[in-house]
Amino acid sequence: MLNKIDILTLFPEVITPYLNESIIERAISSDKIRINTHNLRDYSTNKHNKIDNIPFGGSTGMVIQAEPTISAIKAICNKETHKILFSPKGQVITMDLLQNLLKKEHILLIAGHYEGFDHRIENFIDQTISIGDYVLTGGELPALTLTDALVRLIPDVLGNKNSASEDSFFSGLLDWNVFTRPRFFDTLNVPDVLLSGNHKKIEHWKKRSAIINTLCYRPDLLAKYRLNKMEKKILIDYFLKEECNEQDN
């Protein structure tokens, strides 16, 4: 089970404030996880702590050098450490990926900057990960994204043991629609079933809401989800109702 995360970055001051707030701070304070930041410049042998240089072959921007990066990896890691580099060519974060990473005891997250790292560091990496098909200024936000997603899955980190399992994607579906007080707002009211006290009907409503949300907003997820008999009936009833509405119009 994951118990330690190290983050290698040029800007630890960007990382630290987020770690000192909310759920992650409570997880650290209660010894559920240890999280350390490391400044890549501390591993430079240059008298000015320079860690980047111009790319061979010509291009815009600067490239982070292999030597200080590999020195940092060797200093921080042991043979059990799972070393992750954030890269556009990496696997996009999914719930399955997170569940697999939770099985690692120690993870090193390597946050890049500028035009990225000298390609040779990839010989010292176990996995490359992406958070989507777009470009950010640096790897600090991806590192925090992965850290947050992992920490909330560690047992007893969230106040309610069912909180993580009820999140979107955990079961393969999006979450159901949620409501709170006031019950009546303008012409928008909370569904009566949620205040009925009938737990069986409430659970059915939640399941229906999750399935319809997934169908409407992420049909790609629903295509991979194995529907049980009750869930298939929810979909059939939904499509029949939609067909009736179209005929009425």
Side-chain angles (χ1 to χ4, degrees), residues 95-231:
M95 190 58 71
D96 286 342
L97 183 148
L98 294 174
Q99 294 288 0
N100 286 329
L101 289 179
L102 278 179
K103 300 173 185 176
K104 312 293 183 183
E105 290 189 9
H106 179 206
I107 289 176
L108 171 65
L109 307 180
I110 303 171
H113 220 76
Y114 312 127
E115 287 299 303
F117 289 92
D118 184 310
H119 179 70
R120 288 170 288 187
I121 78 158
E122 295 192 21
N123 293 289
F124 297 83
I125 299 301
D126 298 307
Q127 186 174 14
T128 56
I129 288 178
S130 168
I131 63 168
D133 296 338
Y134 49 89
V135 177
L136 297 173
T137 303
E140 287 73 28
L141 288 176
L144 285 173
T145 298
L146 183 58
T147 298
D148 191 301
L150 285 169
V151 169
R152 62 183 289 108
L153 293 176
I154 296 172
D156 301 323
V157 164
L158 299 181
N160 187 317
K161 66 179 181 179
N162 294 323
S163 292
S165 64
E166 292 180 352
D167 283 342
S168 289
F169 306 112
F170 192 92
S171 68
L173 299 173
L174 296 182
D175 202 358
W176 54 79
N177 297 334
V178 295
F179 300 86
T180 188
R181 292 176 175 80
R183 178 178 180 180
F184 304 107
F185 176 72
D186 199 3
T187 59
L188 306 172
N189 301 331
V190 176
D192 291 337
V193 65
L194 296 180
L195 297 105
S196 68
N198 188 319
H199 297 295
K200 185 175 181 179
K201 288 185 177 181
I202 291 172
E203 290 306 312
H204 184 273
W205 183 93
K206 288 180 177 180
K207 177 62 72 173
R208 182 182 186 279
S209 177
I211 289 174
I212 302 310
N213 277 342
T214 309
L215 172 68
C216 294
Y217 298 104
R218 289 294 304 274
D220 57 306
L221 294 176
L222 196 61
K224 296 181 286 187
Y225 182 78
R226 296 187 65 178
L227 295 162
N228 61 33
K229 186 175 180 180
M230 181 266 286
E231 292 165 339

Side-chain angles (χ1 to χ4, degrees), residues 9-16 38-41 112-114 140:
T9 171
L10 283 168
F11 301 98
E13 64 274 15
V14 173
I15 302 287
T16 304
H38 305 267
N39 193 328
L40 181 56
R41 295 187 190 279
H113 220 76
Y114 312 127
E140 287 73 28

